[in-house]
Amino acid sequence: MSGIAGTLHFGRNYLDCEAEALLTVCRMRNALLNRGPDSRGAWVGEHAAFGHARLAAADPERQPMLRAADGGEYAIVCDGRLCNADELRRELAGRGWRFETGCDAEIVLASYIIYGEDCAEHLDGAFAFAVWDGPRSRAFLCRDRLGVRPLFWAERGGGVLFASEIKGLLAHPSVRPRVGREGLAEVLSAGPARAPGFGVFEGVSELKPGECVTVSREGVEKRRYWKLQSRLHAEGFEDTARHVRELLSGAVRRRLIGGAPPCALLSGGLGAPLVAAHAARAAGEAGARLPTCSFECDDGERFFRASALRPDVDQVYARMVGRLWDTAHEALACESRELADALYDATRARDLPGMADADASLLLLCRRVRGRHSAALSGACAGEVFGERPWRTDPDARLGALEPGLVRDLQLEEFARARAEALRREAPPLDGEAPEEARRRETGYWSIFGPMQAQLERTDRMSMAAGLEVRMPFADAKLVEYVFNVPWEMKSHGGEAGGLLRAAAAGDLPEEVIGRRGSPRPDAHSPLYEEIVKQRVGRMLDDPGAPARDLLNLARVRAGVEGTAECAGPRLGRRVAGEQLAWILQLNAWLEEYRVELA
């Protein structure tokens, strides 16, 4: 993958101040070197300047890429991978395009030149890109259907800026790290699942999944080129399970094509071993053996304690899948102090406080894998697509650690619920659907564009911070479109959430794995990790200059550090309280390192 950034301004001629424009776009690009450490590129045109940070394992050609056509010059910066690259290449060649490279970026650019702004409808994959259209003096920005690859943008001083991550925009001199009431409420109550399109910092937006923007002298025009559609599901259960299996197999196989052969990550719930099973079958057909990796933190099996979110240990099931499919399996691990240190790196990777040790452990897993492989397959998003994941929506999980006056002033409980309800109301209705099933459809929509977006962001940022290309077959538009319209009665076959996915896994995995309750991520169980986090939060509370202190219920957090109370609220228990202490470290690091101005 890669990092992309750029500036657009029709009131200035960048060629008259080329050195300044180049310096600015390079500063934005250099903030994204975590996404592409292998090479850097930049280009300056009359009203546009683009920058690109390249990850060599994923991008065979340097960018920005330039092509002459229609009496002018086109330029592109692209982050991502196409799943229909071969098909599109043949189609475009038939339309007269003469390819000069084997790069997906050229396919995307040729698609734009031939199909114009309708090009996105021809692209299948995970991508975010920007094209400068010289003949028409305009720019086109676009993001894939499900938002697998990120793209943020902002209007400043009559111009438009864009970047793969918020840090790229913050590197521009006109963007200040200001966070207003809405942004702070988002971080404190709803984060890390941001509202679609909302960038937290003032004036910063994110292109929504399936959205594109045209920037011209006439202004900015934004539109959705793809939306989920509600349709009547006509297949019976057996046909539905078979159809899901075929769609998933196809999604996995499309992500095995192009670039370096990936390994498969086995930490997690049912999604990861199911992806590994389909990938192992495809590898075996090609005479190869699939590498797989699992991960644990500091003797996790020894210190493991069951909870509602994590009922058992990943490693046992990872080894079971590895033996069944004869994968080249490797168990990876980290130490408690390393995990605690990674909390800060994970905050920088996300540009925001995130999922605490869940983010940190994934970042360390990706670092370990990157030392062995350049690409990996992940089972991320299976729970969100199939309704299997038991997401917490109780605001008490975080609000108990915050200053009560702040909670009241920002109306944080109401804010979090209103965000979720607004997203549910966006769900496309189905005529004649019973009210109960309509509400379940709304919840499915919320899961895809709420919690699933948080998982996509987490996986993208942590993997990119490690220089690892992670491919996610469950974030496949064809699969998501189909499963979205499956009735809840089928999704919960057997009376259990995720029943349809379990039925689709029959024959590919052992019954012990199929029947296992989903486990959302690598986790920390060692008491040493918890003690390190408590010590660091204690030191923060003793520091009068720590910026997070003004936002916290100091007495309750200190009691949580000392083990006399649950800082996350009484109903959620010890494990969640530990997560909130780690999140508090991330919150303080974010406020301090980003020099956040609370407006």
Side-chain angles (χ1 to χ4, degrees):
M1 303 293 99
S2 57
I4 64 175
T7 69
L8 306 160
H9 204 302
F10 291 95
R12 299 182 63 187
N13 187 335
Y14 286 149
L15 296 179
D16 292 339
C17 53
E18 186 171 359
E20 178 188 351
L22 185 63
L23 179 63
T24 298
V25 79
C26 286
R27 184 183 298 133
M28 296 173 67
R29 176 206 64 194
N30 290 348
L32 304 171
L33 292 182
N34 57 298
R35 299 185 70 86
D38 296 316
S39 67
R40 313 173 192 184
W43 165 83
V44 177
E46 187 176 6
H47 299 297
F50 287 177
H52 184 265
R54 172 174 168 261
L55 180 62
D59 294 307
E61 301 290 337
R62 293 190 180 189
Q63 299 179 41
M65 178 179 289
L66 307 178
R67 291 291 183 270
D70 305 325
E73 185 174 55
Y74 292 85
I76 186 171
V77 282
C78 182
D79 168 30
R81 175 179 296 278
L82 297 177
C83 292
N84 63 336
D86 292 342
E87 173 189 336
L88 261 180
R89 183 179 292 275
R90 290 191 297 270
E91 180 181 315
L92 294 166
R95 297 288 297 267
W97 186 266
R98 301 181 66 178
F99 284 94
E100 299 178 24
T101 72
C103 182
D104 282 5
E106 185 177 8
I107 297 175
V108 176
L109 181 56
S111 297
Y112 176 83
I113 293 172
I114 291 175
Y115 299 118
E117 295 182 1
D118 293 334
C119 66
E121 298 171 18
H122 296 260
L123 306 176
D124 177 22
F127 55 80
F129 65 88
V131 170
W132 172 251
D133 183 339
R136 297 167 187 80
S137 192
R138 67 186 184 189
F140 182 71
L141 281 60
C142 186
R143 194 176 180 208
D144 66 74
R145 289 167 174 78
L146 290 173
V148 179
R149 294 299 166 206
L151 189 58
F152 292 87
W153 65 294
E155 296 185 65
R156 284 292 191 280
V160 171
L161 318 172
F162 68 87
S164 295
E165 297 178 10
I166 293 172
K167 59 174 65 70
L169 297 180
L170 293 175
H172 192 279
S174 71
V175 181
R176 295 172 60 186
R178 289 174 59 88
V179 175
R181 289 176 61 87
E182 185 181 10
L184 185 59
E186 186 88 10
V187 168
L188 297 182
S189 67
R194 291 180 291 103
F198 187 63
V200 176
F201 292 89
E202 285 191 347
V204 173
S205 300
E206 185 177 27
L207 250 64
K208 293 180 181 179
E211 196 170 67
C212 58
V213 168
T214 301
V215 184
S216 66
R217 292 183 186 278
E218 286 70 44
V220 175
E221 181 184 349
K222 184 171 61 173
R223 68 179 177 90
R224 294 284 290 273
Y225 69 87
W226 177 87
K227 295 180 181 179
L228 270 181
Q229 302 293 327
S230 289
R231 299 183 179 90
L232 186 65
H233 186 76
E235 294 180 322
F237 181 77
E238 297 299 329
D239 288 339
T240 298
R242 182 167 55 252
H243 201 157
V244 165
R245 187 175 185 273
E246 291 170 354
L247 286 170
L248 179 59
S249 177
V252 171
R253 288 173 182 269
R254 287 194 297 276
R255 283 156 183 81
L256 293 172
I257 300 171
C263 69
L265 307 180
L266 277 179
S267 293
L270 177 59
L274 190 50
V275 166
H278 284 288
R281 178 183 288 110
E285 292 169 1
R289 191 180 183 205
L290 178 74
T292 55
C293 299
S294 58
F295 187 73
E296 69 175 20
C297 304
D298 217 7
D299 203 0
E301 292 188 53
R302 175 185 173 194
F303 292 110
F304 172 77
R305 288 166 293 188
S307 67
L309 283 176
R310 177 169 284 272
D312 42 36
V313 181
D314 279 340
Q315 295 287 26
V316 173
Y317 297 91
R319 290 192 291 265
M320 192 181 299
V321 174
R323 287 193 299 269
L324 174 67
W325 285 100
D326 189 31
T327 69
H329 184 69
E330 188 172 8
L332 309 174
C334 73
E335 296 180 353
S336 294
R337 188 169 299 279
E338 187 180 14
L339 181 65
D341 291 343
L343 289 169
Y344 308 107
D345 291 341
T347 306
R348 297 184 196 100
R350 208 189 257 272
D351 295 320
L352 293 165
M355 295 184 184
D357 51 294
D359 280 359
S361 61
L362 180 58
L363 174 59
L364 292 176
L365 166 60
C366 290
R367 285 176 177 171
R368 296 288 194 274
V369 172
R370 184 62 180 91
R372 297 156 172 81
H373 309 280
S374 58
L377 292 169
S378 167
C381 302
E384 291 75 22
V385 173
F386 285 86
E388 181 190 24
R389 182 63 41 79
W391 276 87
R392 291 196 306 267
T393 56
D394 187 346
D396 186 55
R398 182 167 297 161
L399 304 191
L402 300 176
E403 200 278 317
L406 180 68
V407 173
R408 290 192 301 271
D409 183 44
L410 294 180
Q411 298 181 309
L412 293 182
E413 290 191 62
E414 296 83 353
F415 181 89
R417 293 193 179 100
R419 276 283 204 250
E421 192 57 35
L423 194 52
R424 285 186 171 94
R425 286 197 298 269
E426 289 183 11
L430 181 65
D431 290 342
E433 191 167 50
E436 184 178 1
E437 191 64 29
R439 185 62 176 174
R440 286 169 171 161
R441 181 180 297 275
E442 292 173 359
T443 298
Y445 186 93
W446 164 81
S447 182
I448 291 167
F449 293 104
M452 178 171 160
Q453 296 303 307
Q455 286 291 354
L456 290 173
E457 181 173 23
R458 170 182 176 245
T459 304
D460 175 84
R461 302 305 189 279
M462 299 309 124
S463 62
M464 286 290 93
L468 179 70
E469 180 197 356
V470 171
R471 308 169 192 173
M472 293 172 272
F474 281 101
D476 181 87
K478 294 176 183 177
L479 176 64
V480 171
E481 286 174 329
Y482 180 79
V483 175
F484 173 68
N485 285 297
V486 174
W488 177 251
E489 182 181 4
M490 290 189 184
K491 290 180 184 175
S492 60
H493 179 71
E496 187 175 0
L500 173 59
L501 185 60
R502 288 179 170 82
D508 293 320
L509 294 172
E511 284 300 322
E512 297 93 329
V513 176
I514 293 175
R516 182 193 181 206
R517 192 170 187 180
S519 178
R521 72 267 176 150
D523 214 339
H525 303 286
S526 167
L528 177 57
Y529 168 77
E530 189 174 316
E531 185 59 32
I532 292 171
V533 169
K534 285 185 174 182
Q535 289 177 1
R536 293 182 180 180
V537 174
R539 288 197 295 269
M540 186 210 76
L541 296 176
D542 292 336
D543 178 6
R549 291 179 86 255
D550 293 338
L551 307 179
L552 299 176
N553 183 333
L554 297 179
R556 189 163 189 176
V557 174
R558 191 175 294 279
V561 169
E562 295 170 355
T564 59
E566 302 291 7
C567 70
R571 297 195 300 275
L572 292 163
R574 183 169 175 271
R575 183 71 198 97
V576 175
E579 290 177 1
Q580 296 313 315
L581 288 176
W583 177 82
I584 287 169
L585 286 181
Q586 289 194 313
L587 174 66
N588 190 70
W590 174 66
L591 293 168
E592 188 171 63
E593 187 166 333
Y594 283 70
R595 299 181 181 180
V596 175
E597 304 169 15
L598 297 180

